[in-house]
Each structure stands twice: as C-alpha cells, then as structure tokens.
Amino acid sequence: MPGTPVLPIEAPTMSLEEQLDQLAMACRVLEMEGHGDMTLGHLSLRDPQGRGFWLKRNARGLGEILSAADFVLVGHDGAKLEGEGGRHSEWPIHAEILKARPDVNVVAHTHPFHASILSSFGTSLAPFTLDADYFDELPCHRDEAALLKTEEEGAALARTLGPHFAVLMANHGVTFCGTSIAHAVCVGVFLERAARIHVLGSQMRTEASFPMPPVRQRRREQIMTPVHVEHSWNYFVRKLAWQEKARGDAALFA
C-alpha cells in the first residue's frame, strides 16, 4: 500500500466527539468482522490538539464500545489525561507508531483468528485472491514479550511496521493503522480476510498459480483506492446497523 496514499474521508468539520463516536463504531465493526477477543484489542485516534491520542478504555470488548465516553486521552508518555476508565497497558504500540508515522491518525492492535495463526509462520500472504493484493508487503515482528508495555518495545514494533499499514506480531496478533478511521478499519478487515483465504488455500493438495509481481502491483493500484475504502467503510457501517437492529440492540446505540 505504500505509494498508494489513502486520504482521510472524515469531514474536517467533525467535532472530536463525533470522531470518537465514529471510532466506537469502528470498534464494533472490527468485532463483527472477526477481530474480537474478550476484552483484548484496542484502537486509538491521534488527538487533533496534539496532546497524545484517544485510546479505547480497557476492561471492555471491542463490541462493547458504544460512544466517545469509552475512550481516554493518553499522553505520548503514557499518562492518562482525560476520560473515564482504565488505560490499556500496551499504550506504547499507539504512542510509538503515531510518533514515527505522521501520516497515520488511527492505530489498532487486535487478535483476529486467522491472521494470528499466520503470524506464527511469518510468511507473506499468498495471492490466492485479490484480498492479498491490498498489501504490497506484510512484515512480521518478533518479540519475547507477551505484552508490549515499554516505549522500547513499541518503538521496535514501529520500526518493523516501517512505511506499511499492517504488521504481524509473531505468535500474538496484528497491528494495523490508517490515515483515517475508515482506512484503518478496512486494512484490518482486508487483512483478516486475506489471512483466512491464505490459511484455507494452503491446505489444498494441488499447487496454485499466482500472478507475477508486476501484475500484483497493478492489481493493488486498482483496488486500494480512497473510493474503495469509502464504499467498504459505508458497507460495514450498514452491515453493523442491520446486525444490531436484528439483535434488538438499536436502543443501546440511539
């Protein structure tokens, strides 16, 4: 995806509360699309005033995040500055990536099932379908810690991520990011889809044929566009609304 910039689609006139409400919706979309893992997993939004970042409160699952009230403002040194609820211990993931990547406004760390399996192999996504072509490269970060709780560990992850928008965390999970909420969510959803297809495709007993790198580059340029991100995000939002209404959750999110 480097070389194919995806610009934010949030309206510049959105208030901080509106952006955080949208980030809460993003948490629920990711839960819906296979990123939920009990109360683990967290998203952050760069604070527009430069004070740090707004991080999902801890002790809540992605699917339980309802509104702006479910985020806390965390300084780049890890100090909680505003908000109700606790701060995730892996805050350095967000702090260090946001410091290293001025183009990134949203960071997420989750444990999606198939991508987490893929992380133990450290292999690149095989292009069984177009889903793998959303990614020009998928680096894999190896660390001895179960939780990345220090600035040094967060900075090491940021270095492995480099100019990309997703990184596998070996035997752990994934971290992904984006220029906007919509972009980050799409990266996360596309990654888990591609990992699921990779895991299933690798079990086939016949050898697959794959397109050559120049063809894959062209395919990536055609599919990873701001318009596609916007359309995909809007679809995920509608899908979430349908599911919440079907479960009778509508009153909770009014």
Side-chain angles (χ1 to χ4, degrees):
M1 286 188 292
T4 308
V6 179
L7 302 177
I9 67 169
E10 285 88 26
T13 57
M14 285 179 66
S15 68
L16 175 59
E17 183 176 7
E18 289 171 330
Q19 291 181 65
L20 291 177
D21 282 342
Q22 190 174 92
L23 193 65
M25 187 181 301
C27 289
R28 303 200 304 277
V29 165
L30 287 171
E31 173 89 29
M32 175 180 71
E33 295 297 324
H35 285 256
D37 183 11
M38 300 179 292
T39 62
L40 306 177
H42 27 91
L43 276 72
S44 67
L45 174 73
R46 187 188 296 275
D47 179 60
Q49 299 180 33
R51 297 171 294 176
F53 51 95
W54 290 88
L55 181 65
K56 166 193 165 286
R57 64 184 300 187
N58 70 350
R60 296 290 188 275
L62 292 172
E64 298 179 289
I65 303 303
L66 307 182
S67 70
D70 288 312
F71 296 91
V72 295
L73 177 61
V74 179
H76 288 297
D77 61 354
K80 193 181 92 168
L81 305 177
E82 289 185 25
E84 300 294 329
R87 178 211 64 187
H88 279 279
S89 63
E90 290 188 301
W91 63 267
I93 291 175
H94 304 265
E96 297 303 320
I97 289 176
L98 289 170
K99 284 194 287 188
R101 292 285 298 277
D103 60 318
V104 163
N105 289 306
V106 177
V107 176
H109 168 58
T110 62
H111 307 146
F113 183 79
H114 297 91
S116 295
I117 292 174
L118 183 66
S119 76
S120 66
F121 294 94
T123 57
S124 299
L125 290 166
F128 289 101
T129 66
L130 282 170
D131 297 87
D133 289 324
Y134 287 115
F135 306 88
D136 68 331
E137 185 178 333
L138 185 59
C140 185
H141 180 72
R142 298 191 179 278
D143 198 292
E144 296 180 356
L147 300 173
L148 275 61
K149 299 169 64 174
T150 70
E151 294 177 61
E152 292 77 13
E153 290 165 346
L157 177 64
R159 287 193 295 271
T160 303
L161 174 67
H164 308 288
F165 288 105
V167 57
L168 297 174
M169 299 169 68
N171 311 102
H172 183 162
V174 300
T175 291
F176 52 95
C177 54
T179 60
S180 68
I181 295 170
H183 181 206
V185 166
C186 287
V187 171
V189 174
F190 298 162
L191 175 59
E192 175 60 3
R193 281 172 54 95
R196 176 171 57 86
I197 292 168
H198 177 104
V199 170
L200 293 174
S202 298
Q203 297 176 25
M204 299 294 288
R205 295 184 178 181
T206 58
E207 186 174 347
S209 62
F210 297 131
M212 298 297 290
V215 175
R216 295 194 62 195
Q217 174 64 30
R218 182 183 178 193
R219 285 152 61 108
R220 181 164 52 253
E221 292 171 353
Q222 289 176 324
I223 62 176
M224 198 54 178
T225 65
V227 170
H228 181 56
V229 166
E230 182 175 3
H231 290 180
S232 298
W233 164 254
N234 289 336
Y235 166 75
F236 296 137
V237 170
R238 293 194 303 271
K239 180 179 177 181
L240 179 68
W242 297 331
Q243 291 198 6
E244 290 176 348
K245 183 176 181 180
R247 293 196 308 262
D249 294 347
L252 295 176
F253 306 103

